[in-house]
Structures are given as C-alpha cells and as structure tokens.
Amino acid sequence: QLTKEAYRQVLLDSALREAQARQELTLVFQPQFDVVRSQLIGVEALLRWHHPQLGSVSPAQFIPHAERTGLIRSIGQWVLESSCRQGAQWQAEEHDFGTIAVNVSASQFHDESFVEQVQHVLSKTGLAPTKLELEITEGVLAQDTHGLIEKMQILRSIGVRFSIDEIGTGYSSLSFLKRMPLDRLKLDRSFVDEVTSDENNKIIASAVIALGAAMGLEVVAEGVETKAQETVIRAMGCNKMQGFLYGRPMSGEEVEALF
C-alpha cells in the first residue's frame, strides 16, 4: 500500500512528465539592478509550474524531483531555449536588458554534449552569446572539476558569461574558484536575509564581497527585501542587487515596462 507521500511522488512524477507537453511550464524574470546607477544590469530566468489539479507547485518541490528522476535535462533545455528566445526578442527590439541568467543543473552541465547544446540554442534563437549568463551552483563543482572548467572555457571563448550561485553555502574549494572562468558571484539570500541582525551572516557576506573584489568579479546580492539590507550591503562594497525591494519575478511583458 502506497503511503500518502509515496503516492504524491508518483503523481508528481507523471504530472511533471506531461507538464512540458501540456505547456504548464512558464518563465518569469527577476530584474537585477546596479543600485548606485539605478540601472537594470540583467534578469534571472525562473521556472514556474502551474498544474490544473495541483495548482502552483513550488520549484523547491519539483526541481529536486526533476533532478532525481532525470527530467531536469529536458526541462533545463526548455528553460535555456525559452530564455534565449526571450532575450533575442529584446535584443531585436534594441532593449538594453544587460544579461539573461539561466540556472544550469549538475546533470545538464555534465552531459557530454552540453557545449554543443548551448551553441545550438544560441545560433537557433539569434541571442548574442555575451547576453547569456549561465548560473551554476556550488554543488556542480563537486564532480569532475577539470571537465567542467574545460566546458566553461569553450563557452567563455565565444562570449558566454558565468556566475556561481549559493556561494558560501557549500564546500567548494577556493582554488577551484580561482581556476574557473567566472564573471559573477551571487551572494546567497540566506546571508542577505539576516545581514542586519546576525553578526555571522554579516561576516560571511562581507567575505564573499571581498573575495569577489579580489578576484575581479562582480558580486550580485540576492534576496534583498529591505532598505536596511541594501544599506549594509552597499557599505560592504556591493552595488548590484536582486530581490523584492526592486522587483518580484515578473513576466516578459512586465520586464519590458522597465525598459
């Protein structure tokens, strides 16, 4: 007899397999700003899933499930292509949107044909490679670092940008970071959240910002929700931010209103 949770997993699995075909997956975009220059510097593409019976399913629930079942590869490919298509449309309309950041899972990145897949999507959609930023988490670094760096270098040579997400939450070696062709570090929301009240969070946030500056990388603080958080982070030397204070994840049309 299936337990309630096991039944839900089976339901989730079959629903997620059909989600793409039924066009239940959509993208929203969260703006990133340089708060000193009051300028849009990019958007991050975020995946949303609305199921007719289950309603809105949280990414925190379905992304890990997609990773466990291997569905993340086809979903990730759809996200990459849809994001590039949206970016190419803005590019054709000559909007200055900075870069479009797309999260890439470990299984996507470790796919042997990953580099070719990205190149194919860029040529198919017409998005300039310099407009695409691939965002990888610290967790991706845990396996096959040499192969990973090689793939990054090939894509970087055509102009694709890279950022590391969730920095400071895992166990990545700083020597690996030094060898990687990176453009940005993302300061994780878990440190931003209590940066005004928790001394440890403040120390880690400050260290990540200093690390970025020392390595010549941009640092973008995620999850900034209050002016107080913005003030503390700016005082640490970080001017680039993303969060509800500047805009919730929004549709492509709503992003166009920002232009």
Side-chain angles (χ1 to χ4, degrees):
Q1 189 184 359
L2 287 175
T3 64
K4 198 172 178 183
E5 181 52 32
Y7 176 73
R8 184 172 171 78
Q9 289 301 318
V10 171
L11 184 68
L12 196 64
D13 187 58
S14 63
L16 194 52
R17 284 178 194 279
E18 293 168 1
Q20 271 177 280
R22 292 181 174 181
Q23 299 183 323
E24 293 165 6
L25 300 178
T26 54
L27 287 183
V28 288
F29 304 91
Q30 187 163 36
Q32 301 165 329
F33 284 96
D34 181 320
V35 296
V36 171
R37 301 210 305 266
S38 298
Q39 183 185 2
L40 182 73
I41 56 161
V43 295
E44 180 181 358
L46 299 164
L47 183 61
R48 295 289 182 262
W49 177 25
H50 188 82
H51 186 270
Q53 280 80 46
L54 299 171
S56 291
V57 187
S58 162
Q61 192 178 20
F62 74 82
I63 297 285
H65 183 83
E67 284 174 344
R68 279 195 304 274
T69 56
L71 287 170
I72 195 70
R73 286 193 184 188
S74 64
I75 291 173
Q77 183 68 14
W78 179 85
V79 170
L80 178 65
E81 201 168 305
S82 303
S83 301
C84 289
R85 201 178 297 116
Q86 176 65 86
Q89 184 193 317
W90 290 335
Q91 180 182 280
E93 291 165 1
E94 298 185 355
H95 294 307
D96 186 9
F97 62 91
T99 55
I100 191 157
V102 180
N103 293 275
V104 179
S105 71
S107 64
Q108 276 177 279
F109 221 111
H110 295 304
D111 187 317
E112 283 178 14
S113 63
F114 179 70
V115 170
E116 290 77 17
Q117 286 169 21
V118 175
Q119 290 170 325
H120 174 69
V121 167
L122 286 169
S123 66
K124 181 178 168 183
T125 59
L127 180 69
T130 50
K131 290 293 196 183
L132 176 63
E133 178 182 313
L134 296 179
E135 204 168 282
I136 54 180
T137 62
E138 272 198 325
V140 176
L141 311 182
Q143 323 147 27
D144 182 29
T145 309
H146 179 71
L148 179 82
I149 291 173
E150 212 173 306
K151 287 174 186 167
M152 290 174 75
Q153 284 168 337
I154 295 168
L155 289 170
R156 185 78 182 287
S157 71
I158 63 168
V160 175
R161 293 164 56 92
F162 285 94
S163 63
I164 290 273
D165 198 12
E166 297 177 10
I167 192 84
T169 63
Y171 302 98
S172 64
S173 156
L174 293 181
S175 65
F176 286 160
L177 283 183
K178 193 176 67 179
R179 286 164 48 206
M180 297 176 97
L182 293 171
D183 299 276
R184 276 183 182 167
L185 300 180
K186 302 286 290 288
L187 177 61
D188 193 68
R189 64 177 60 249
S190 59
F191 303 123
V192 172
D193 201 26
E194 295 178 4
V195 77
T196 56
S197 57
D198 184 302
E199 202 54 41
N200 288 336
N201 279 5
K202 196 179 284 189
I203 290 165
I204 295 171
S206 183
V208 170
I209 291 165
L211 177 69
M215 292 173 70
L217 303 175
E218 281 185 2
V219 179
V220 177
E222 292 187 291
V224 181
E225 297 187 358
T226 67
K227 271 288 178 193
Q229 289 169 340
E230 183 195 277
T231 303
V232 171
I233 292 162
R234 271 185 68 175
M236 292 174 180
C238 174
N239 298 330
K240 296 177 172 66
M241 309 196 194
Q242 171 181 348
F244 287 177
L245 185 60
Y246 318 103
R248 290 175 177 271
M250 54 184 77
S251 68
E253 291 76 30
E254 288 171 307
V255 174
E256 284 164 28
L258 297 175
F259 303 142

